[in-house]
């Protein structure tokens, strides 16, 4: 354990970066994903087709490529190198929004046409119906999938090491380069990720059970 | 109050409504019946601007739905609608279901909206269910909440689309009683139903629709005793047996 203990603050500092990146990715990804989900059920062709193209395109390329591509292409477009964290955060938001978008689409489509008509028939506008009826119901129905996708997003944050972001995996390779203690170092990293993700999946299960029992939805 | 002039509607190739004409005066109660797929729900949805139509015109309270300048949201405030499967918002309490539109659309304050909601719940006979969620109510209770929710916007006309056909027999009466109460207070009503007892008691006019057309119209007993078309006779024979 010596290699881990001696470098603990450095490694945990990297872990903090993972958590921060995940926070940005989730907040941005879920917000944009809600809009993407609404776009995917839109009856307006000029909304539906561009959004669908965006979703299908990004869902068919690996995240690691999106991270790379954004990091190396943006400087050409805007003329200066981006901070790896900013670059990674933007890549994650743009990428994860397509996954969250599809989760929301399924959630919106599980809501009956007559329920939406009922909301409209009381004079609610489209925006109000989306804000008070569609999104809240979709979120409740989709909570387990949302949590699962959030866990995946969190795990994926370590991919940002490819553009030099000082997150935990990156720092572990640096420490390992000096100390050559691969087994204990990577076991430690794996355990940390496991604990966070395991707790997350328990929470997801809990909500699944809860909504089954309450049959509220 | 509602004027439907020569309205036709197609879903692709399929004609759902064919030259429908009808006038509902203020205070009138019109019952629509007809076999499944005859276009009854579609007609109500068109009146509420929830579905477009391709020919003819619908005018509600002097406002034409065909006019692109018409604000459909404003128009829908005048028309309350009740659905076969209640369609309450499952994530909100009964009280919230009723106060949502008055608060968001009419910008009423919460206390004002809740006071009105409690009066309405009193009127439909379930004031004790204000804090309950829809899933914990019986079908009859849910439908009464749905009626209260529509009434909360103080509509000039109430439209019902088979409000009792998803209910267990013992709950049908409690919903019909609320509807009869409304009728007696002079509400304008457009009701799709096969409850012929209700139709006899309250309807000023009964319309029989088949394949998107109004095949026959009549008043109360006359409609049942002397149907003119064979199609109406067959249909009445089936549901009155
Ligand atoms: N969105 C749609 N797209 C295509 N066809 C539709 C659509 N909605 C309804 N229809 C068809 O239009 C016809 C009329 O439907 P509608 O729901 O108005 O009938 P209804 O008289 O209310 O029948 P029911 O008694 O079963 O409720 C049906 O044949 C139905 O299949
Ligand atoms: Mg119908």
């Amino acid at each position: 354990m010596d290699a881990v203990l001696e470098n603990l603050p450095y490694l945990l500092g990297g872990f903090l970066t993972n958590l921060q990146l995940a926070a940005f990715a989730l907040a941005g990804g879920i917000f944009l994903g809600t809009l993407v989900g609404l776009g995917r059920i839109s009856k307006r062709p000029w909304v539906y087709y561009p959004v669908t193209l965006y979703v299908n395109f990004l869902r068919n390329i690996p995240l690691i490529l999106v991270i790379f591509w954004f990091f190396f292409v943006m400087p050409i477009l805007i003329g200066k190198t981006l901070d790896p964290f900013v670059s990674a955060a933007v890549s994650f938001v743009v990428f994860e929004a397509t996954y969250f978008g599809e989760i929301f689409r399924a959630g919106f489509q599980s809501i009956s046409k007559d329920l939406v008509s009922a909301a409209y028939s009381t004079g609610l506008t489209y925006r109000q119906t989306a804000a008070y009826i569609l999104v809240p119901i979709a979120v409740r129905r989709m909570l387990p999938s949302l949590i699962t996708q959030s866990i995946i997003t969190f795990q994926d944050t370590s991919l940002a090491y490819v553009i030099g972001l000082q997150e935990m995996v990156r720092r572990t390779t640096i420490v390992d380069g000096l100390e050559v203690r691969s087994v204990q170092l990577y076991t430690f990293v794996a355990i940390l990720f496991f604990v966070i993700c395991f707790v997350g999946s328990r929470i997801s299960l809990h909500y699944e059970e809860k909504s089954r029992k309450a049959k509220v939805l | 109050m509602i004027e439907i002039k020569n309205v036709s509607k197609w879903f692709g190739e399929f004609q759902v409504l064919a030259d429908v004409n009808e006038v509902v005066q203020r205070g009138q109660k019109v019952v629509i019946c007809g076999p499944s797929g005859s276009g009854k729900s579609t007609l109500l949805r068109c009146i509420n601007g929830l579905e477009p139509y391709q020919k003819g015109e619908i005018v509600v309270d002097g406002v034409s739905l065909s006019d692109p300048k018409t604000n459909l949201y404003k128009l829908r405030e005048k028309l309350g609608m009740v659905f076969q499967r209640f369609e309450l918002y499952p994530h909100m309490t009964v009280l919230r279901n009723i106060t949502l539109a008055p608060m968001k659309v009419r910008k009423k304050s919460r206390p004002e909206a809740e006071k009105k909601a409690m009066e309405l719940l009193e009127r439909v006979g379930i004031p004790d269910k204000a804090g309950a969620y829809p899933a914990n109510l019986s079908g009859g209770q849910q439908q009464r909440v749905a009626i209260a929710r529509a009434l909360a916007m103080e509509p000039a006309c109430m439209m019902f689309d088979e409000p009792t056909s998803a209910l267990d027999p013992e709950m049908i009466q409690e919903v019909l009683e609320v509807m009869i109460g409304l009728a007696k207070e002079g509400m304008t009503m457009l009701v799709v139903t096969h409850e012929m007892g209700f139709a006899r008691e309250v309807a000023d006019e009964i319309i029989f629709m088949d394949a998107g057309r109004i095949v026959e119209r009549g008043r109360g007993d006359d409609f049942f005793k002397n149907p003119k078309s064979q199609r109406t006779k067959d249909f009445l024979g089936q549901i009155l047996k």
Side-chain angles (χ1 to χ4, degrees):
Chain A
M1 279 302 277
D2 52 331
V4 170
L5 290 177
E6 275 162 29
N7 297 288
L8 199 56
Y10 182 67
L11 291 176
L12 288 182
F15 194 61
L16 188 64
T17 304
N18 290 89
L19 290 174
Q20 284 166 337
L21 183 56
F24 275 99
L26 291 177
I30 289 174
F31 176 76
L32 189 60
T34 313
L35 301 181
V36 167
L38 287 169
R40 292 271 288 141
I41 56 165
S42 174
K43 290 202 184 70
R44 298 185 186 132
W46 54 270
V47 176
Y48 175 82
Y49 285 107
V51 172
T52 303
L53 185 72
Y54 159 57
V55 169
N56 287 340
F57 179 66
L58 276 175
R59 281 179 65 115
N60 286 301
I61 44 178
L63 173 57
I64 198 158
L65 268 178
V66 179
I67 296 171
F68 259 132
W69 185 85
F70 199 78
F71 188 64
F72 290 115
V73 170
M74 278 319 275
I76 300 171
L77 294 180
I78 63 170
K80 62 173 190 194
T81 316
L82 284 175
D83 172 60
F85 186 86
V86 174
S87 181
V90 174
S91 310
F92 269 93
V93 168
V94 169
F95 184 82
E96 295 299 338
T98 64
Y99 283 81
F100 285 114
E102 288 302 272
I103 292 174
F104 275 107
R105 181 188 56 75
F108 294 144
Q109 283 177 339
S110 74
I111 298 170
S112 82
K113 179 176 152 193
D114 275 353
L115 186 75
V116 180
S117 300
Y120 282 152
S121 74
T122 60
L124 291 175
T125 62
Y126 171 73
R127 268 163 191 268
Q128 291 169 329
T129 304
Y132 303 116
I133 313 294
L134 286 175
V135 175
I137 296 179
V139 168
R140 280 176 177 74
R141 286 200 184 140
M142 296 294 111
L143 206 52
S145 328
L146 282 177
I147 296 174
T148 304
Q149 185 61 33
S150 301
I151 294 170
I152 294 171
T153 304
F154 174 68
Q155 291 171 339
D156 284 350
T157 56
S158 61
L159 287 177
Y161 93 97
V162 297
I163 55 169
L165 183 69
Q166 290 271 329
E167 50 71 60
M168 182 146 87
V169 175
R170 174 84 184 173
R171 288 191 170 184
T172 308
T173 59
I174 293 170
V175 174
D176 191 37
L178 298 170
E179 312 244 358
V180 200
R181 288 279 199 285
S182 305
V183 174
Q184 56 163 282
L185 282 167
Y186 287 108
T187 306
F188 172 70
V189 176
I191 288 173
L192 255 185
F193 270 97
F194 174 81
V195 169
I196 297 274
C197 297
F198 183 75
V199 171
S201 66
R202 287 279 117 180
I203 295 173
S204 162
L205 266 180
H206 166 78
Y207 279 108
E208 222 168 310
E209 278 299 301
K210 198 171 129 183
S211 62
R212 222 200 319 276
K213 280 203 193 103
K215 60 173 192 331
V216 166
L217 293 171
Chain B
M1 167 83 219
I2 300 173
E3 278 174 82
I4 303 163
K5 299 178 206 160
N6 277 315
V7 166
S8 296
K9 174 175 175 64
W10 287 263
F11 281 119
E13 294 284 286
F14 176 72
Q15 185 161 16
V16 217
L17 296 176
D19 292 318
V20 174
N21 280 288
E22 173 63 15
V23 177
V24 184
Q25 306 285 2
R26 198 170 285 275
Q28 244 195 342
K29 289 102 185 100
V30 175
V31 164
I32 305 172
C33 60
S36 181
S38 55
K40 307 175 301 284
S41 302
T42 306
L43 182 60
L44 293 193
R45 294 177 60 82
C46 284
I47 296 171
N48 219 347
L50 293 166
E51 292 273 1
Y53 49 88
Q54 284 80 37
K55 244 186 74 203
E57 197 182 18
I58 299 179
V59 181
V60 175
D61 228 6
V63 181
S64 167
L65 269 75
S66 319
D67 186 349
K69 286 199 292 288
T70 297
N71 181 342
L72 287 179
Y73 297 124
K74 270 266 160 296
L75 181 126
R76 290 187 190 122
E77 292 178 38
K78 294 181 197 164
L79 301 168
M81 189 148 173
V82 173
F83 298 80
Q84 183 171 3
R85 305 215 52 90
F86 332 130
E87 309 302 344
L88 297 178
Y89 314 134
H91 58 305
M92 293 181 182
T93 61
V94 163
L95 196 65
R96 271 294 276 161
N97 263 274
I98 302 174
T99 58
L100 183 71
M103 284 172 64
K104 301 302 173 190
V105 178
R106 289 275 160 77
K107 312 286 179 215
K108 281 192 183 179
S109 70
R110 181 181 290 273
E112 193 187 354
E114 288 185 348
K115 184 164 164 282
K116 172 87 186 168
M118 287 310 300
E119 284 168 23
L120 288 167
L121 282 175
E122 201 82 51
R123 176 158 159 198
V124 299
I126 38 174
D128 52 321
K129 298 292 182 194
Y133 280 90
N136 299 323
L137 303 185
S138 72
Q141 292 170 332
Q142 288 190 55
Q143 194 61 301
R144 287 186 278 160
V145 173
I147 295 174
R149 177 177 67 184
L151 289 175
M153 290 300 285
E154 296 163 337
C157 170
M158 285 283 284
M159 304 199 285
F160 296 81
D161 190 358
E162 307 200 35
T164 56
S165 57
L167 295 176
D168 293 335
E170 68 270 21
M171 292 170 188
I172 292 178
Q173 205 50 41
E174 63 191 48
V175 171
L176 288 181
E177 269 160 24
V178 170
M179 292 169 62
I180 291 168
L182 267 179
K184 291 208 170 110
E185 287 164 32
M187 176 65 82
T188 312
M189 290 164 79
L190 196 52
V191 185
V192 175
T193 186
H194 295 154
E195 288 296 329
M196 289 304 139
F198 172 82
R200 260 205 184 94
E201 186 169 345
V202 309
D204 297 306
E205 184 181 43
I206 304 175
I207 294 174
F208 174 70
M209 279 182 78
D210 188 31
R213 286 177 194 284
I214 297 183
V215 176
E216 180 144 1
R217 57 180 88 220
R219 295 180 63 92
D221 271 345
D222 201 40
F223 179 85
F224 294 104
K225 286 195 187 116
N226 312 306
K228 289 179 217 65
S229 80
Q230 189 55 41
R231 198 64 197 88
T232 316
K233 279 180 199 151
D234 294 346
F235 178 75
L236 288 176
Q238 264 174 30
I239 58 169
L240 295 175
K241 66 169 179 268

